[in-house]
């Protein structure tokens, strides 16, 4: 192995993931060695990178009353939940399963907000029994149901209404959640009446108001528009005699995948805080639910080239990770950088489609990437910390990948690779 010939190059937007000499490093560890030691496909996260992102939110909380609620669905692995819980973060959950995970990781229910457009009675009861901080309610029918369930338990349900501000977040259509045609939230025009209804229901306690307009948002404009809409409503609702204690502005802040330059967390919060002050509302407590911007650029997916094949039309690098491991390219046609774990300069670079073994043409991870590769080489798919492992499935009877958290020179295996026994465990054959 050649000695490092140049200083470590940080990959733009990826703190703590650097190239040192030929080798891609996650903190102090070489990606190719992690792949050898733990096998592939393998998710690897940098603890320092997660903490750096978390710290930016924590610093912003010094300048404005701000409750931090990590959105569990971005990456729900126990080690990551623990890391944030120990820093004092609470959590935003969207299912009873996520609530159970948070409690299992040591999170306290009184820092949990529960969002979601289709919460079942069983999930709502679990949330009420656990004593969550707030349930974000998405329809008037859900409001009546929560009142009834809370009455049955003899408790008052703490609630916010999730309103749909009809704002275009200018992101992928599947990641837009605050347009009028969206399934999420209560229409801006119906929200005032819904709050009035809350005031009549004895088992509800109104805490605040909530919006979440989408994900991978890279400009501040849509957030400020949504905030203005919410503030109009707040004025009307409080005029009706209902006090609101917090404004929950959801998550959605984008990260750099390709050339994007999204605002940093501190800039986002500062802009919201400034707009509040400009509207004479500087005292309002904020709650935010960031997911992607906390973990997205802390993680990579390592995979190994199984086969290199050229057809008449294209060069394919068939790797051992697939759409079941990382769904974003198939689902959103998302672009994520792909870096060789060890740079070759053999002069054999070709324009490859990097694809998985799954039997779907939608199973690709990157298209038309110039790579100098041999079979057996390890590749790292960057920006895989959010909506990677959390969306993984068992399609094609593929066990889910293992996960490693790197902390300086240490690598902690935080999730074992799923085995075939794990996959077959729940199945029952026919009798006879
Ligand atoms: C997904 C989601 C978030 C987090 O979105 P990111 O883009 O990961 O920051 C926050 N709140 C709600 C209600 C969500 O559904």
């Amino acid at each position: 192995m050649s000695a490092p010939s140049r200083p470590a190059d940080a990959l733009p937007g990826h703190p703590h993931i650097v190239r040192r000499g030929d080798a891609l490093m996650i903190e102090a560890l070489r990606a190719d060695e992690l792949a050898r030691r733990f096998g592939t496909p393998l998710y690897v996260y940098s603890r320092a990178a997660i903490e750096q992102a978390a710290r930016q939110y924590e610093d912003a909380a010094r300048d404005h009353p701000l409750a931090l609620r990590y959105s569990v669905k971005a990456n729900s692995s126990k080690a990551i939940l623990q890391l944030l819980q120990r820093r004092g973060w609470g959590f935003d959950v969207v299912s009873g399963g996520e609530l159970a995970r948070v409690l299992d990781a040591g999170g306290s229910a009184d820092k949990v907000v529960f969002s979601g457009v289709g919460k079942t009675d069983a999930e709502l009861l679990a949330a009420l029994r656990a004593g969550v901080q707030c349930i974000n309610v998405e329809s008037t029918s859900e409001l009546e149901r929560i009142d009834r369930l809370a009455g049955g338990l003899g408790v008052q349900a703490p609630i916010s209404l999730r309103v749909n501000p009809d704002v275009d977040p200018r992101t992928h259509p599947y990641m837009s959640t605050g347009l009028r045609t969206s399934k999420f939230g209560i229409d801006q025009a119906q929200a005032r009446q819904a709050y009035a209804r809350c005031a009549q229901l004895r088992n509800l306690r109104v805490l605040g108001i909530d919006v979440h307009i989408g994900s991978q948002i890279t400009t501040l404009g849509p957030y400020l528009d949504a905030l203005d809409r919410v503030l109009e409503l707040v004025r009307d609702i409080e005029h009706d005699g209902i006090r609101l204690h917090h404004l929950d502005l959801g998550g959605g802040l984008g990260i750099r995948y390709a050339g994007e330059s999204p605002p940093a967390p501190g800039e986002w919060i500062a802009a919201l805080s400034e707009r509040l002050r400009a509207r004479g509302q500087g005292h309002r407590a904020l709650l935010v639910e960031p997911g992607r911007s906390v973990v997205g650029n802390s993680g990579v997916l390592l995979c190994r080239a199984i086969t290199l094949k050229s057809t008449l039309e294209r060069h394919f690098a068939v790797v051992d990770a697939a759409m079941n491991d990382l769904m974003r390219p198939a689902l959103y046609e998302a672009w994520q950088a792909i870096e060789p774990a060890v740079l070759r300069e053999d002069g054999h670079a070709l324009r490859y489609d990097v694809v998985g073994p799954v039997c779907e043409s939608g199973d690709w991870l990157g298209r038309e990437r110039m790579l100098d590769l041999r079979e057996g080489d390890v590749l790292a798919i960057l920006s895989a910390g959010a909506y990677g492992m959390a969306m993984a499935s068992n399609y094609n009877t593929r066990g889910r990948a293992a996960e490693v958290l790197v902390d300086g020179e240490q690598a902690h295996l935080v999730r074992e690779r799923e085995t075939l026994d794990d996959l077959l465990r729940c199945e029952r054959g026919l009798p006879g």
Side-chain angles (χ1 to χ4, degrees), residues 49-61 63-64 66 68 89 217 220 223 252-256 261-273 286 288 290-295:
I50 298 171
E51 292 187 326
Q52 181 170 324
R55 203 173 306 114
Q56 291 189 43
Y57 279 105
E58 292 157 14
D59 289 346
D63 300 325
H64 193 99
L66 177 65
L68 299 171
W89 285 56
I217 298 169
L220 293 171
Y223 282 114
L253 187 64
I255 61 170
R256 178 180 174 129
S261 45
E267 292 174 69
W268 177 41
I269 304 299
L272 296 173
S273 164
L286 288 178
V288 288
R292 189 189 310 268
S293 56
V294 181
V295 292

Side-chain angles (χ1 to χ4, degrees), residues 42 308 358:
L42 181 72
L308 302 180
V358 162

Side-chain angles (χ1 to χ4, degrees), residues 315-350:
H315 303 294
F316 291 100
V318 185
V319 299
D320 62 4
M323 65 189 287
N324 74 296
D325 300 297
L326 180 67
M327 203 181 175
R328 298 188 65 261
L331 186 60
Y332 311 120
E333 298 197 50
W335 190 96
Q336 297 184 214
I338 301 181
E339 288 279 331
V342 179
L343 275 185
R344 284 183 189 286
E345 275 160 32
D346 292 354
H348 294 126
L350 292 173

Side-chain angles (χ1 to χ4, degrees), residues 49-319:
I50 298 171
E51 292 187 326
Q52 181 170 324
R55 203 173 306 114
Q56 291 189 43
Y57 279 105
E58 292 157 14
D59 289 346
R62 290 208 206 105
D63 300 325
H64 193 99
L66 177 65
L68 299 171
R69 302 290 177 258
Y70 169 69
S71 177
V72 170
K73 79 175 191 288
N75 187 323
S76 57
S77 294
K78 183 171 183 170
I80 287 176
L81 301 185
Q82 285 178 326
L83 207 146
L84 292 165
Q85 181 266 325
R86 289 175 193 170
R87 298 180 72 87
W89 285 56
F91 299 94
D92 168 54
V93 302
V94 293
S95 71
E98 287 189 351
L99 172 60
R101 265 184 192 283
V102 164
L103 300 177
D104 176 60
S108 56
D110 61 4
K111 286 186 182 176
V112 170
V113 296
F114 187 10
S115 308
V117 73
K119 309 178 198 77
T120 65
D121 285 3
E123 289 176 314
L124 288 166
L125 284 169
L128 290 169
R129 286 204 183 95
V132 297
Q133 178 185 8
C134 192
I135 300 174
N136 292 335
V137 182
E138 304 220 9
S139 66
T140 44
S141 120
E142 187 184 16
L143 210 54
E144 306 283 341
R145 202 150 51 88
I146 294 173
D147 178 67
R148 187 162 41 74
L149 293 169
L153 290 180
V155 299
Q156 272 206 318
I159 60 131
S160 291
L161 296 192
R162 175 169 176 180
V163 300
N164 181 332
D166 192 21
V167 164
D168 184 354
R170 286 167 243 148
T171 181
H172 189 282
Y174 291 0
M175 295 188 233
S176 298
T177 55
L179 288 167
R180 199 159 35 197
T181 48
S182 157
K183 70 177 176 178
F184 297 101
I186 297 174
D187 282 333
Q188 179 92 1
Q190 297 171 332
R192 187 173 184 177
Q193 211 177 353
Y195 271 100
R197 178 67 185 141
C198 289
Q200 297 167 338
L201 295 172
R202 303 223 329 268
N203 308 307
L204 301 183
R205 180 161 46 89
V206 174
L207 275 194
I209 188 164
D210 170 49
V211 282
H212 172 71
I213 56 174
S215 196
Q216 186 54 18
I217 298 169
T218 54
T219 56
L220 293 171
Y223 282 114
L224 298 175
D225 292 347
L227 178 56
D228 283 343
R229 296 275 172 99
V230 166
L231 287 176
E232 284 169 32
L233 254 180
V234 167
R235 193 194 49 210
D236 293 346
I237 293 161
E238 293 200 336
H239 181 264
D240 296 342
I242 299 166
R243 284 224 66 73
L244 298 172
H245 300 278
H246 70 238
L247 309 184
D248 178 346
L249 297 179
L253 187 64
I255 61 170
R256 178 180 174 129
Y257 285 102
E260 307 93 330
S261 45
E267 292 174 69
W268 177 41
I269 304 299
L272 296 173
S273 164
E274 195 176 306
R275 178 60 60 98
L276 282 170
R277 269 183 279 120
R279 300 273 185 267
Q281 302 289 314
H283 60 286
R284 293 275 174 195
L286 288 178
L287 189 152
V288 288
E289 306 165 349
R292 189 189 310 268
S293 56
V294 181
V295 292
N297 274 339
S298 75
V300 302
L301 173 60
L302 300 183
C303 57
R304 204 178 274 282
I306 302 171
T307 302
L308 302 180
K309 70 178 260 185
S310 295
T311 65
L312 291 176
E313 291 289 330
R314 275 194 159 38
H315 303 294
F316 291 100
V318 185
V319 299

